[in-house]
């Protein structure tokens, strides 16, 4: 369970890092920002999905 929590935290915080990195990038800003949105969404979806099963 603690490993899943660490995975969720890394995905969530990594997504926010990508949000910030998109504004300072010289190219591919949209792709980086979209990757951040997907990472945060995946973290929340996995967290909610696994919490309903246990």
């Amino acid at each position: 369970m603690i490993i899943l929590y660490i995975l969720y935290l890394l995905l969530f915080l990594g997504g926010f890092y990508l949000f910030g990195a998109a504004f300072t990038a010289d190219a591919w800003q949209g792709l980086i920002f979209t990757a951040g949105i997907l990472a945060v969404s995946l973290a929340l979806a996995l967290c909610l999905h696994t919490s309903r099963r246990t």
Side-chain angles (χ1 to χ4, degrees), residues 15-54:
F16 279 106
Y17 174 77
L18 289 173
F19 288 155
F23 290 104
T24 60
D26 293 331
W28 301 97
Q29 296 94 352
L31 185 63
I32 295 170
F33 191 80
T34 303
I37 291 174
L38 291 175
V40 170
S41 299
L42 181 63
L44 291 175
L46 286 174
C47 183
L48 292 174
H49 180 69
T50 57
S51 68
R52 283 198 298 170
R53 290 185 358 180
T54 58

Side-chain angles (χ1 to χ4, degrees), residues 2-22:
I2 193 76
I3 295 173
L4 286 176
Y5 177 74
I6 292 171
L7 176 67
Y8 304 149
L9 187 65
L10 286 175
L11 278 172
F12 192 74
L13 294 177
F16 279 106
Y17 174 77
L18 289 173
F19 288 155

